[in-house]
């Protein structure tokens, strides 16, 4: 079979295609379209819902270039990479236009506004585990935030990884399989495997993670000669991951990222760690249904700007253990709580502030668009007002933030003078430099206006001269300027007109004078466009010269935004400023669950009082009141109560105020939260195994500084197994020491309450219910002492079980509870097992179960 000859253009296509990484769609610019060919066309048409066309021997599918951003976003969301091949010269008829690869977009490296969520960071991360060191590097290319972390085990880094939730992960080839095997044999937690399964993973060869090379790459990219200024040693193993990351970004951008200026090491010593199960269980970033709605993040987010929302999320990712920083945040909120007027004033001003950080990121990474530069101008215009409003807080923590806001009067003046009010999105459109900014440009534009006038004069003159009333001068891309005469008037056309084209309804002509003018017009337009682009480049570089000040200003505004939002929430929901200290105690008066409280209020249309959240006190300490065992019927409010203590503690360590009338929080180092298997529906794992796994993790890692929330642990197995495990877990947490991790344990095992008799730091509590004619009413109050009954049947009735079923259940219960087997019943009931009792013997060491 004779080999088919391929066209020069297809040759060009294959040359580009050959060098692309796997899983990459190539978008090949052809006139006004980006085309995909062959297999890419088939995949692309499916993925993007566009038409697939069959050519002689290949498939083709195209998207209009002006809609490309949208389609690319869709492909990235599906985990694809997209390579853009553009025309890099003006096409000339009959000649193959030069094309080259401009960029490769990947889920983690895209920075276009429409392809990333504005109120969240968009991270790319690289992760590695070797020689007993786990290392992680992550980067938000859109904002320039760049961090590393290292730990002795993979499990210590999965919390960070889950919290930053990167869009794409870089790992060494084959590692994922190795980790899967490790998870399988139990040497690491399976969280990492779950995590990798839900995002785009890109494999790189191992040498890309070399530490020495990585250190060099990091220094080159940041433009520094050592990393001491950042407190990072050049042997830091995480620099291997950082190097892999930068290499990958540079390869995809086709140039070194230009908005990176610093790198930070994330240290678990300064941060309060929350592992993935705790994040899920406390619904920090997402509710158990997987939505933002119902999460803590949503409940405490009243930011006005996207940058503010991102800062809030960053703070929640890394709660603090530094009193200084926490008090700075608390005090800022306090100042604003006292001035609601200032809050709404600042929030109003913030509405006109644009996302400076991300705009800078795009400008620095060569994505330039006039409207975005206008965004910097608009932001600068708000700064004097914001500083003015903040000036009333002289001497407070807010004042110090205000100092970081730099109004940059010179740059502001320049951008206001240089840019038009309304700006196009596209540089190629022209028309963005203001009149009066540049004399030369004004002259060029005047010339264009003159030329337009000349054309309309010509039209009038020619109509007059030839007597053709409907003679028109028109323009199109193919022929330039021409005179159009309709069929009926063709007889009147003077002989110096040169025919260019015959139409159905008439003909098109040019004249010598018109051709001459056309040249002048094109020339003037080209000149003015070039001049505009030059001037724009000048404005951009003037802006980038101030990028450090702009970034610092943006960060200060984002913080103020978070504080204004917190102050508003604090006033709206009656939060208090918690006292923070280094003691081992947590004392909360009239605490509430921040999310449930808001949901109840929103649900209750008119039923506010019946539905209002019932506050409760809590008082724990590592050395005295260490373990609280909470019993009470289903639906009483146990889970809500124990979580509210964890959330209040967490909020305090983010620097926010908390939902309580007063609180004193001794800073904790970790919060653990686990739910008994059958409640953890979101995961659908071999649930009991997972539950025990996680419990083991807590027992191994909790310190006296930790706070532990256990909800119905032991439920995932048979009653006696579960009870035994719960029993010994509690014992282990208490131990024979003088203090231990503060623990709230909600359980339906009544038997556990007996532990109080010999564990002196354990206390029984219950969530009270009232009985009312054999019905129960939930009062949601946590009281001292164990619950006496479980009220299961009453709860079942409230849940709508049919009356006959309820009656029968009562009958059976009575029989089971009675030692008298002769109770008369209407039909046989199951034989009660001899009811086993737990006996607590006097001798502590010989505690025996089920004696
Ligand atoms: P349990 O864990 O005891 O079964 P939950 O904590 O799940 O009970 O609470 C059941 C429901 O009761 C929650 O969905 C919530 O709407 C409501 N609830 C819980 N605590 C309170 C409270 N303190 N005030 C008002 N309603 C509450
Ligand atoms: Mg519960």
């Amino acid at each position: 079979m004779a080999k088919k000859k391929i066209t020069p253009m297809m040759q060009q296509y294959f040359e580009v295609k050959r060098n692309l990484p796997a899983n990459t769609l190539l978008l090949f610019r052809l006139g006004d379209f980006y085309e995909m060919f062959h297999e890419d066309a088939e995949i692309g048409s499916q993925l993007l819902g566009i038409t697939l066309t069959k050519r002689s021997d290949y498939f083709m599918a195209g998207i209009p270039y002006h809609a490309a951003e949208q389609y690319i976003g869709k492909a990235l969301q599906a985990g694809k990479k997209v390579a853009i091949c553009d025309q890099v010269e003006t096409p000339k008829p009959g000649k193959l236009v030069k094309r080259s690869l401009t960029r490769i977009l990947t889920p983690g490296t895209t920075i276009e506004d429409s392809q990333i969520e504005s109120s969240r960071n968009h991270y790319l991360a690289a992760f590695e585990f070797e020689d007993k060191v786990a290392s992680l590097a992550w980067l938000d290319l859109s904002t320039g935030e760049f961090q590393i972390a290292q730990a002795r085990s993979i499990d210590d880094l999965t919390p960070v990884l889950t919290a930053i939730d990167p869009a794409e992960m870089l790992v060494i080839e084959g590692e994922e399989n190795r980790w899967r095997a490790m998870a399988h044999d139990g040497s690491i937690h399976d969280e990492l495997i779950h995590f990798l399964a839900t995002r785009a993973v890109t494999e790189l060869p191992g040498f890309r993670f070399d530490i020495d090379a990585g250190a060099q790459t990091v220094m080159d990219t940041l433009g520094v000669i050592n990393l001491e200024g950042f407190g990072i040693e050049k042997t830091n193993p995480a620099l291997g991951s950082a190097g892999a990351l930068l290499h990958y970004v540079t390869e995809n951008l086709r140039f070194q990222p230009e908005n990176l200026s610093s790198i930070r090491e994330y240290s678990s010593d300064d941060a309060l760690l929350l592992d993935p199960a705790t994040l899920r269980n406390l619904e920090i970033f997402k509710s158990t249904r997987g939505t933002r709605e119902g999460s803590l993040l949503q409940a405490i987010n009243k930011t006005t700007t996207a940058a503010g929302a991102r800062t809030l999320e960053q703070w929640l990712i890394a709660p603090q253990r530094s009193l200084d920083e926490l008090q700075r945040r608390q005090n800022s909120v306090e100042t604003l709580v006292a001035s609601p007027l200032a809050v709404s004033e600042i929030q109003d001003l913030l509405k006109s502030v644009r996302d400076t950080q991300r705009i800078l990121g795009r400008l620095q990474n060569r994505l330039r668009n006039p409207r975005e530069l206008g965004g910097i101008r608009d932001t600068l215009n708000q700064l004097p007002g914001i500083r003015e409003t903040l000036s009333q807080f002289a001497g407070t923590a807010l004042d110090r933030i205000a100092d970081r806001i730099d109004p940059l009067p010179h740059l502001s003046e320049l951008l206001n003078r240089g840019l038009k009010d309304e700006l196009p999105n596209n540089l190629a459109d022209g028309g963005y430099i203001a009149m009066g900014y540049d004399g030369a440009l004004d002259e060029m534009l005047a010339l264009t206006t003159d030329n337009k006038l000349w054309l309309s004069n010509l039209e009038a003159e020619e109509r007059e001269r030839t007597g053709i009333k409907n003679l028109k001068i028109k323009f199109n891309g193919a022929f330039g300027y021409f005179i159009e005469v309709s069929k009926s008037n063709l007889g009147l056309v003077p002989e110096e007109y040169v025919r260019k084209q015959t139409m159905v309804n008439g003909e098109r002509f040019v004249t010598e004078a018109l051709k001459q003018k056309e040249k002048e017009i094109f020339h003037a337009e080209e000149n003015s466009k070039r001049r505009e682009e030059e001037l724009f480049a000048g404005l951009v570089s003037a802006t980038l010269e101030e990028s450090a000040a702009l970034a610092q200003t943006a960060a200060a505004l984002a913080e103020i935004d978070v504080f204004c939002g917190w102050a508003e929430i604090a006033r709206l929901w009656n939060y208090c400023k918690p006292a923070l200290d280094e003691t081992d105690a947590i004392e909360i008066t009239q605490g509430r669950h921040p999310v449930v409280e808001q949901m109840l209020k929103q649900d209750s249309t008119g039923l506010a009082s019946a539905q209002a959240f019932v506050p409760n006190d809590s008082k724990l300490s590592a050395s005295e009141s260490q373990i609280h065992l909470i019993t009470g019927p289903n639906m009483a409010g146990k889970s809500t109560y124990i979580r509210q203590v964890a959330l209040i503690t967490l909020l305090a360590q983010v620097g926010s105020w908390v939902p309580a009338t007063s609180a004193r929080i001794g800073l904790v180092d970790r919060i653990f939260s686990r739910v008994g298997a059958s409640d953890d529906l979101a995961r659908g794992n071999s649930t009991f195994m997972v539950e025990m796994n996680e419990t083991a993790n807590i027992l191994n890692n909790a310190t006296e500084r930790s706070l532990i929330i256990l909800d119905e642990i032991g439920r995932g197995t048979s009653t006696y197994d579960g009870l035994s495990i719960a029993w010994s877990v509690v014992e282990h947490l208490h131990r024979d020491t003088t203090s231990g991790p503060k623990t709230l344990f909600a359980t339906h095992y009544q038997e556990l309450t007996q532990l109080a008799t010999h564990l002196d730091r354990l206390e029984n509590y219950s969530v009270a219910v009232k009985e009312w004619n054999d019905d129960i009413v939930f009062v949601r109050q946590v009281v001292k002492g164990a619950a006496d009954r479980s009220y299961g049947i009453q709860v079942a009735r409230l849940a709508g079980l049919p009356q006959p079923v309820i009656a029968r259940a009562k009958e059976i219960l009575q029989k089971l509870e009675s030692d008298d087997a002769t109770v008369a019943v209407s039909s046989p009931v199951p034989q009660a097992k001899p009811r086993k009792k737990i006996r607590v013997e006097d001798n502590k060491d010989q505690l025996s179960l089920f004696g």
Side-chain angles (χ1 to χ4, degrees):
M1 201 171 83
K3 219 173 170 190
K4 263 221 173 97
K5 225 183 128 201
I6 61 173
T7 62
M9 192 196 75
M10 279 318 259
Q11 233 161 8
Q12 199 183 33
Y13 172 85
F14 282 120
E15 221 135 90
V16 178
K17 180 75 187 167
R18 189 177 324 129
N19 295 314
L20 293 178
N23 194 28
T24 308
L25 294 177
L26 175 55
L27 296 186
F28 196 72
R29 181 72 181 259
L30 245 174
D32 283 345
F33 281 81
Y34 279 114
E35 294 289 351
M36 286 171 281
F37 298 104
H38 298 276
E39 212 188 337
D40 279 2
E42 293 179 65
I43 299 171
S45 73
Q46 277 254 324
L47 199 66
L48 309 175
I50 52 175
T51 318
L52 186 67
T53 337
K54 176 112 174 82
R55 282 299 150 94
S56 57
D57 58 346
Y58 57 83
F59 287 111
M60 209 172 143
I63 52 181
Y65 83 97
H66 56 82
E69 223 182 281
Q70 239 176 298
Y71 285 110
I72 293 169
K74 222 165 156 184
L76 294 175
Q77 288 245 301
K80 287 274 167 209
K81 298 173 184 172
V82 179
I84 314 273
C85 182
D86 279 310
Q87 301 178 167
V88 290
E89 61 178 7
T90 319
K92 295 197 183 70
K95 191 174 162 272
L96 181 66
V97 59
K98 241 203 217 143
R99 292 185 175 84
S100 82
L101 192 59
T102 353
R103 254 187 92 179
I104 303 175
L105 294 140
T106 77
T109 57
T110 173
I111 52 177
E112 241 99 353
D113 198 33
S114 58
Q115 290 158 8
I116 54 183
E117 224 180 297
S118 61
S119 60
R120 304 193 58 203
N121 274 108
H122 190 87
Y123 290 115
L124 168 74
F127 185 59
E128 187 214 12
F129 179 61
E130 204 174 343
D131 297 334
K132 301 214 169 63
V133 180
S135 79
L136 176 66
W138 65 103
L139 164 68
D140 182 341
L141 192 58
S142 68
T143 60
E145 282 147 302
F146 184 23
Q147 294 186 65
I148 54 173
Q150 53 163 322
R152 267 193 301 262
S153 79
I154 287 184
D155 290 345
D156 285 344
L157 282 185
T158 25
V160 187
L161 209 46
T162 316
I164 63 175
D165 195 18
E168 183 179 1
M169 285 285 293
L170 309 179
V171 302
I172 296 176
E173 283 160 340
E175 283 295 88
E176 208 178 336
N177 284 331
R178 185 165 73 101
W179 295 334
R180 198 168 290 126
M182 288 168 74
H184 192 73
D185 72 22
S187 51
I188 61 168
H189 206 286
D190 64 355
E191 286 292 354
L192 179 67
I193 306 305
H194 283 288
F195 175 81
L196 291 173
T198 55
R199 64 212 60 230
V201 176
T202 297
E203 297 196 318
L204 298 178
F207 69 85
R208 289 280 173 229
F209 286 75
D210 182 74
I211 298 172
D212 292 340
Q216 197 54 52
T217 309
V218 171
M219 291 188 283
D220 288 348
T221 311
L222 300 182
V224 294
I225 50 164
N226 61 51
L227 295 170
E228 278 161 26
F230 308 110
I232 294 170
E233 306 231 1
K234 62 175 196 287
T235 53
N236 189 315
L239 289 173
S241 296
L245 204 94
L246 293 179
H247 172 82
Y248 184 72
V249 169
T250 303
E251 205 174 59
N252 289 321
L253 285 177
R254 321 297 292 170
F255 55 82
Q256 235 175 31
E258 285 166 20
N259 62 329
L260 308 187
S261 58
S262 72
I263 180 168
R264 238 168 6 111
E265 182 162 23
Y266 176 98
S267 153
S268 55
D269 295 342
D270 318 324
L272 160 67
L273 279 181
L274 300 176
D275 53 74
T278 303
L279 290 177
R280 260 201 314 276
N281 182 25
L282 293 179
E283 303 179 286
I284 305 296
F285 298 108
K286 285 181 198 154
S287 74
T288 23
R289 281 161 293 131
T291 55
R292 283 263 147 164
E293 188 79 24
S295 68
L296 178 70
L297 176 60
Q298 161 123 345
I300 59 160
N301 181 5
K302 265 208 180 294
T303 52
T304 305
T305 66
R310 290 199 301 271
T311 298
L312 174 59
E313 188 164 348
Q314 282 167 14
W315 285 355
L316 218 45
I317 287 172
Q320 292 286 310
R321 285 161 66 190
S322 143
L323 267 179
D324 282 350
E325 171 62 11
L326 290 174
Q327 277 159 354
R328 179 185 78 90
R329 296 182 193 175
Q330 287 190 330
N331 294 340
S332 303
V333 177
E334 184 170 37
T335 309
L336 290 167
V337 167
S339 302
L341 226 65
V343 169
S344 59
E345 224 174 283
I346 295 169
Q347 285 173 332
D348 263 352
L349 291 163
L350 285 174
K351 280 182 195 139
S352 308
V353 158
R354 298 287 156 258
D355 200 340
T356 306
Q357 226 179 4
R358 281 200 162 151
I359 293 176
L360 274 178
R362 282 190 285 269
L363 288 177
Q364 285 167 316
N365 289 319
R366 308 183 194 178
L367 285 175
R368 302 179 167 183
N369 117 23
R371 192 173 295 165
E372 290 211 321
L373 189 62
I376 302 268
R377 170 198 59 194
D378 299 345
T379 302
L380 289 173
N381 288 342
Q382 300 305 313
L383 299 182
I386 293 176
R387 287 201 51 146
E388 167 73 25
T389 308
L390 290 172
S391 66
Q392 61 185 291
F393 303 123
T396 69
L398 272 181
D399 194 31
R400 262 169 291 146
I401 306 180
D403 279 347
R404 285 155 52 201
I405 299 176
D406 188 342
L408 297 168
H410 272 92
L411 180 61
S412 173
E413 188 274 334
L414 183 70
L415 293 180
N416 276 299
R417 196 156 48 81
L419 292 172
K420 284 190 181 165
D421 289 349
E422 295 291 327
L423 295 163
N425 247 327
N426 209 325
L427 210 54
D429 292 349
Y432 38 83
I433 297 292
M435 278 271 270
Y437 176 63
D438 179 66
L441 178 64
D442 289 350
E443 269 173 38
M444 291 171 191
L445 292 174
L447 205 63
T448 303
T449 317
D450 285 354
N451 286 331
K452 296 247 161 80
L453 193 67
W454 186 91
L455 285 173
S456 78
N457 284 344
L458 179 70
E459 192 178 73
E461 279 166 25
E462 290 296 295
R463 282 181 186 172
E464 182 75 38
R465 186 167 75 88
T466 59
I468 305 173
K469 291 260 161 12
N470 61 359
L471 176 148
K472 281 199 185 87
I473 296 185
K474 288 186 169 176
F475 174 84
N476 76 26
F479 293 105
Y481 289 95
F482 52 82
I483 301 169
E484 194 170 277
V485 178
S486 65
K487 228 174 193 167
S488 55
N489 289 319
L490 285 177
L492 295 171
V493 169
E495 60 183 41
E496 70 272 20
Y497 278 23
V498 182
R499 181 180 303 114
K500 277 304 255 190
Q501 193 187 18
T502 305
M503 315 286 294
V504 187
N505 299 324
E507 300 206 347
R508 291 171 172 179
F509 303 90
V510 292
T511 66
E512 205 41 53
L514 189 59
K515 274 285 136 200
Q516 187 52 41
K517 202 67 195 175
E518 181 184 273
K519 256 193 205 139
E520 284 172 32
I521 293 173
F522 284 171
H523 191 65
E525 279 179 355
E526 211 164 283
N527 279 345
S528 68
K529 232 176 203 165
R530 192 172 326 119
R531 183 71 191 154
E532 261 201 312
E533 280 179 23
E534 270 168 30
L535 295 169
F536 185 76
L539 292 176
V540 168
S541 64
T543 305
L544 291 186
E545 252 164 54
E546 298 294 358
S547 54
L550 285 167
Q552 175 188 302
T553 299
L557 293 177
E559 281 193 6
I560 290 172
D561 189 14
V562 173
F563 294 145
C564 284
W566 279 354
E568 204 184 326
I569 291 171
R571 284 174 52 86
L572 219 57
W573 296 97
N574 279 314
Y575 281 20
C576 73
K577 175 180 167 187
L580 305 178
D581 56 36
E582 303 278 5
T583 64
D584 68 358
I586 290 178
E587 270 183 58
I588 299 165
T589 312
Q590 302 271 292
R592 285 114 49 202
H593 189 298
V595 181
V596 176
E597 172 181 43
Q598 292 188 17
M599 291 206 288
L600 284 183
K601 188 64 170 264
Q602 276 149 18
D603 287 350
S604 62
T605 35
L607 284 167
S609 60
Q611 290 270 316
F613 193 91
V614 179
N616 277 298
D617 299 348
S618 318
K619 194 170 174 203
L620 292 114
S621 71
S623 50
E624 278 165 31
S625 183
Q626 183 210 335
I627 302 175
H628 289 194
L629 204 67
I630 325 281
T631 44
N634 268 319
M635 283 302 286
K638 302 182 295 298
S639 301
T640 308
Y641 172 69
I642 59 176
R643 280 173 180 74
Q644 111 190 1
V645 176
L647 292 175
I648 287 174
T649 307
L650 178 65
L651 281 180
Q653 288 191 233
V654 174
S656 163
W657 284 25
V658 301
T661 51
S662 75
R664 192 166 71 78
I665 309 285
L667 299 182
V668 304
D669 64 351
R670 302 186 71 153
I671 296 177
F672 294 97
S673 173
R674 291 298 181 280
V675 195
S678 57
D679 256 13
D680 200 4
L681 296 172
R683 306 249 299 164
N685 240 292
S686 149
T687 45
F688 181 64
M689 182 67 189
V690 171
E691 178 189 332
M692 287 303 108
N693 238 317
E694 295 182 340
T695 309
N697 168 289
I698 297 180
L699 297 183
N700 294 331
N701 290 302
T703 74
E704 304 203 338
R705 285 262 160 201
S706 307
L707 174 64
I708 303 177
I709 305 299
L710 298 174
D711 197 351
E712 309 273 15
I713 289 296
R715 181 166 53 183
T717 183
S718 75
T719 310
Y720 292 132
D721 281 0
L723 173 55
S724 318
I725 290 168
W727 186 286
S728 66
V729 164
V730 172
E731 278 186 345
H732 182 87
L733 288 170
H734 187 280
R735 273 175 275 189
D736 255 351
T737 49
T738 53
S739 63
K742 294 174 280 296
T743 305
L744 290 159
F745 194 136
T747 183
H748 68 283
Y749 293 125
Q750 298 286 335
E751 291 87 342
L752 285 181
T753 58
Q754 297 173 51
L755 278 164
T757 57
H758 77 288
L759 299 183
D760 45 338
R761 296 191 309 279
L762 182 141
E763 289 170 4
N764 282 318
Y765 288 87
S766 57
V767 188
V769 290
K770 276 204 184 107
E771 283 185 81
W772 177 262
N773 296 338
D774 199 35
D775 256 345
I776 51 166
V777 179
F778 296 117
V779 293
R780 316 283 184 212
Q781 219 131 49
V782 177
V783 295
K784 256 209 148 111
D788 46 357
R789 293 179 52 195
S790 62
Y791 299 101
I793 292 176
Q794 285 86 341
V795 174
R797 174 157 68 210
L798 287 181
L801 229 57
Q803 189 48 46
V805 177
I806 298 289
R808 174 67 176 148
K810 272 191 194 159
E811 208 172 59
I812 298 170
L813 176 68
Q814 221 168 41
K815 164 90 167 122
L816 291 176
E817 281 181 347
S818 156
D819 289 334
D820 176 8
T822 63
V823 170
V825 289
S826 55
S827 58
V829 298
Q831 274 290 256
K833 272 197 205 164
R835 196 145 168 85
K836 295 183 181 177
K837 287 261 156 61
I838 293 177
R839 194 177 73 235
V840 180
E841 293 181 354
D842 290 337
N843 184 342
K844 268 191 195 175
D845 297 326
Q846 294 213 334
L847 174 82
S848 66
L849 289 171
F850 326 127

